[in-house]
Amino acid sequence: MSDNSTPTKTISDFEAKLEQADKNVASFDTSSLGFMFKLRGFLREYPTSIPAMILLGSLLIFGINATLISPNNFLSANALSTILAQVTVTGIVAIAQTIIILTAGIDLSVGAILVVSSMIMGKFAVEAGVPVLVAVPFGMLFAAAMGWVNGILVTYAKIPPFIVTLGTLNVFNALKLWYTGSQSIRAMDLEEKTPSLLFFGKNINVGFGDGFHVTFNTPPADGDATIILGTIALLLLAVLVWYMLYRTAWGRHVHAIGDDPDAAMLTGIQTRRVLISVYALAGMICGFGAWVAIGRIGSVSPIAFETVNLDSITATVIGGTSLFGGRGSIAGSVIGAVIVGVFTTGLAIAGVDDYWQYFAAGSLVIFAVALDQWLRRASQ
């Protein structure tokens, strides 16, 4: 007669003794770890918490400053919705920048892609009389093609992304000036010939004065929060790209390539194909941003959005995306874009000169990269 503790001829002694083995799981003793170590681990596990805290802190500081120094209702719904409208295009470009930085790359040509595709949409629709339903997709496809060129050069020519996109930045800028002749398309021409291009500039007003009310595409009343359709498009785009990055095989491949491209290739991932698709998708997102930008500013200009490159990188890095790839957050990048807008608006209200605003933007980038380096050491 045998019981569970008695080995049989068909079960080895080791397997027969498993049920009697200690079930406790080994764990590290964290009680002796310092506060900074635990904080670093928390921030690394929840990267979106960093931009969220920076945003709350900057809103508090600039809100107090606007109230005490220069009486201004900085924290009103109207002022905050205006900031959201101002950073809409930056947020869209930051999403494109994020998926590239996740692969340990960078794209310095996103601003040029945005402007070139906006000029194509504007000239096709206004000057050539092409329907908007054709002009917009063509502009977006051309933007995707520009991103595809970047991807081909990075993957097949083995040129570092920084050098590739620095070169194509100048190439695309030259093509832009050649194609447009440095001529803008006026708002009145857009409104007269192709008002659909201004779709994302239409606004929804929400207010509580004289009772709760919501109006569409009308001048806002005092105190109303004004949300343009471009801001809603930014949020929907963020949800879509988040789903692609965290709920699809393609998204897992993007993270794997950013973590270790050699290991990703050894596991069977088509690294070249994925990288090219990343750059092409980023270009297409910039093309969509071009349509939103036309509605946002109400015209098309070859010299618009000159600072969107630095702003998008700042938003992405502040948003918790590592410049070394493999770790990032779409929500963090959108919050990072809002932080850029809060700093710009807050400093402007405080009467700070433009060059000090650039100083603050550059300091934010350095701070964010230093913080990223500090967090990386948590895993080493």
Side-chain angles (χ1 to χ4, degrees), residues 285-352:
I285 292 174
C286 291
F288 176 70
W291 187 14
V292 175
I294 294 173
R296 166 71 185 89
I297 63 176
S299 62
V300 186
S301 171
I303 59 172
F305 300 102
E306 289 186 329
T307 64
V308 76
N309 279 334
L310 179 60
D311 290 345
S312 68
I313 295 172
T314 304
T316 303
V317 176
I318 292 176
T321 299
S322 172
L323 281 174
F324 301 93
R327 181 170 56 84
S329 165
I330 292 296
S333 296
V334 174
I335 297 175
V338 178
I339 292 173
V340 173
V342 168
F343 264 77
T344 303
T345 304
L347 291 174
I349 289 176
V352 177

Side-chain angles (χ1 to χ4, degrees), residues 30-114:
T30 59
S31 59
S32 60
L33 301 178
F35 170 76
M36 294 303 292
F37 189 91
K38 293 179 180 178
L39 175 64
R40 188 163 61 178
F42 173 80
L43 294 178
R44 182 175 174 78
E45 187 173 357
Y46 303 100
T48 308
S49 62
I50 301 172
M53 288 188 289
I54 295 176
L55 177 60
L56 290 176
S58 56
L59 282 174
L60 182 64
I61 293 172
F62 287 120
I64 293 174
N65 174 73
T67 303
L68 297 180
I69 298 178
S70 55
N72 188 299
N73 201 358
F74 180 79
L75 296 178
S76 68
N78 181 268
L80 294 178
S81 63
T82 300
I83 292 175
L84 282 178
Q86 291 172 341
V87 303
T88 293
V89 176
T90 300
I92 292 175
V93 178
I95 290 174
Q97 193 73 261
T98 300
I99 61 174
I100 291 176
I101 292 180
L102 275 174
T103 65
I106 196 167
D107 193 340
L108 302 179
S109 66
V110 286
I113 293 175
L114 174 92

